[in-house]
Amino acid sequence: MKSSRLVSILLLLQTRGRLTAAQLAEELEVSVRTVYRDVEALSAAGVPLYGDAGHAGGYRLLDGYRTRLTGLTTEEAEALFLAGVPGPAAELGLGSVLAAAQLKVRAALPRELREHADRVSGRFHLDAPGWYADADETPYLTAVADAVWNGRVLDVRYRRWREPTDVERRLEPYGLVLKAGRWYVVAGPGPRTFRVDQILELNVSDAEFTRPEGFDLVTYWTAYQREFHERLHRGEAVVRIAPGTLPDGPVGRAVAADGTVDEDGWIRATVPVESLDRAHDDFLRLGTAVEVLEPPELRARIAETVAELARRYA
């Protein structure tokens, strides 16, 4: 809708400063010609909006001009309160700040939108950690978050999984990510990813750093997850799965996508595996619903374990 687009232009200029017509068009997914017409409409409505020509030109609002117009739709108001995650905010030391901000936003909303927002808060709750895992102790989370915000270098003693396990690291923290109830800090140089709960000691340095220009935390994390899974599942196994059985995770996806049905109804598929040790444990959990055909060493190891179990329970 045009009215919604006009509000978006106004808010984009208010929050980002100078923007070209091409930049606005890309943000709003419209043509540059449409942006020109919308800017004219805003100017005609009395909005102090100016355009500068030239290489460094673009549209901008008169210095000091602010609007209280938010243009919140019902869906946006609902999403705003759904996005307020009290648990992670409290871990970052922002629990009371979040509560105060939501209170102010709620008070400013029209009655209808306020009712929708209250309905969301009362009907949806996000609890990120899994059922069978204790919450990680992250005593340095607040300090890391403060260093992320203020661009301060961190000197840490960090515990990793391989030898030597305890190492000294100097980190330039670019951002924090909460994944499945666990906090990670993305830090330079690199950047690289570190678990916050594995920081054993931390000292905030007097040194400051500049975040790399163009670094985007969401883009980095998406690529990191993709590369992590590619590194994780480097091996393959050929298996047969009993009818009606669908394992979860990468194995289940491989069976569903590439499985072929044998004459006896079992599904044969080539599935990714992380390692022989992990595959051995994962396939044993399926019991008699799976038969490993290849690689031979994995099949032999599972057969050995099953034989030992048979002897133990004979």
Side-chain angles (χ1 to χ4, degrees):
M1 295 177 59
K2 180 176 180 180
S3 58
S4 176
R5 198 169 60 244
L6 294 178
V7 171
S8 296
I9 291 176
L10 182 57
L11 294 178
L12 282 169
L13 293 175
Q14 183 170 298
T15 55
R16 299 191 190 179
R18 189 191 308 271
L19 290 171
T20 66
Q23 290 171 325
L24 288 169
E26 182 178 359
E27 286 283 346
L28 301 172
E29 298 182 349
V30 297
S31 67
V32 173
R33 185 181 298 273
T34 298
V35 171
Y36 289 152
R37 290 197 298 265
D38 289 345
V39 168
E40 290 178 1
L42 286 171
S43 297
V47 175
L49 187 152
Y50 298 92
D52 297 323
H55 177 71
Y59 293 109
R60 63 183 179 88
L61 294 170
L62 181 68
D63 291 344
Y65 175 80
R66 306 290 294 177
T67 177
R68 294 182 179 272
L69 180 62
T70 63
L72 277 177
T73 65
T74 301
E75 293 78 11
E76 290 167 344
E78 291 174 350
L80 179 63
F81 279 78
L82 182 60
V85 186
E91 291 180 29
L92 291 170
L94 300 175
S96 60
V97 177
L98 174 64
Q102 287 186 330
L103 181 63
K104 292 177 181 178
V105 171
R106 183 183 180 280
L109 291 174
R111 182 178 61 83
E112 180 182 355
L113 294 187
R114 186 162 61 245
E115 290 175 355
H116 280 282
D118 290 343
R119 187 178 301 124
V120 169
S121 298
R123 300 188 183 185
F124 293 92
H125 174 67
L126 176 61
D127 185 13
W131 278 106
Y132 304 108
D134 295 331
D136 294 325
E137 294 293 332
T138 52
Y140 296 111
L141 178 60
T142 303
V144 173
D146 185 70
V148 168
W149 183 255
N150 293 298
R152 303 296 294 274
V153 174
L154 296 175
D155 294 311
V156 304
R157 188 164 65 89
Y158 184 78
R159 175 160 294 165
R160 57 183 186 176
W161 63 270
R162 64 178 183 272
E163 295 289 344
T165 56
D166 294 1
V167 294
E168 306 290 332
R169 291 288 182 264
R170 190 170 179 84
L171 307 181
E172 299 175 356
Y174 300 158
L176 278 165
V177 175
L178 178 63
K179 172 70 172 179
R182 178 170 290 161
W183 287 98
Y184 297 85
V185 58
V186 178
R192 299 175 63 190
T193 303
F194 301 85
R195 282 175 50 174
V196 178
D197 65 304
Q198 295 302 304
I199 295 178
L200 306 178
E201 296 178 7
L202 178 146
N203 178 62
V204 181
S205 169
D206 292 333
E208 298 181 355
F209 69 91
T210 302
R211 210 163 181 255
E213 185 176 355
F215 175 79
D216 182 83
L217 183 60
V218 175
T219 300
Y220 167 83
W221 186 257
T222 301
Y224 172 78
Q225 288 187 98
R226 183 173 58 252
E227 293 168 2
F228 174 80
H229 287 293
E230 289 174 353
R231 295 193 306 268
L232 192 64
H233 298 105
R234 290 182 173 177
E236 291 183 338
V238 179
V239 300
R240 289 193 346 126
I241 302 293
T245 303
L246 185 60
D248 56 10
V251 173
R253 290 193 291 270
V255 170
D258 303 319
T260 58
V261 181
D262 289 342
E263 293 181 358
D264 57 1
W266 283 56
I267 302 174
R268 182 187 299 257
T270 300
V271 301
V273 295
E274 177 182 345
S275 65
L276 289 183
D277 289 341
R278 182 63 182 268
H280 168 271
D281 295 343
D282 288 345
F283 289 135
L284 277 179
R285 292 189 184 98
L286 295 175
T288 59
V290 63
E291 179 187 1
V292 175
L293 304 178
E294 297 178 13
E297 56 267 37
L298 178 58
R299 179 181 174 89
R301 183 169 175 185
I302 291 178
E304 181 181 345
T305 300
V306 172
E308 175 60 29
L309 288 171
R311 288 192 296 271
R312 184 169 299 175
Y313 287 95

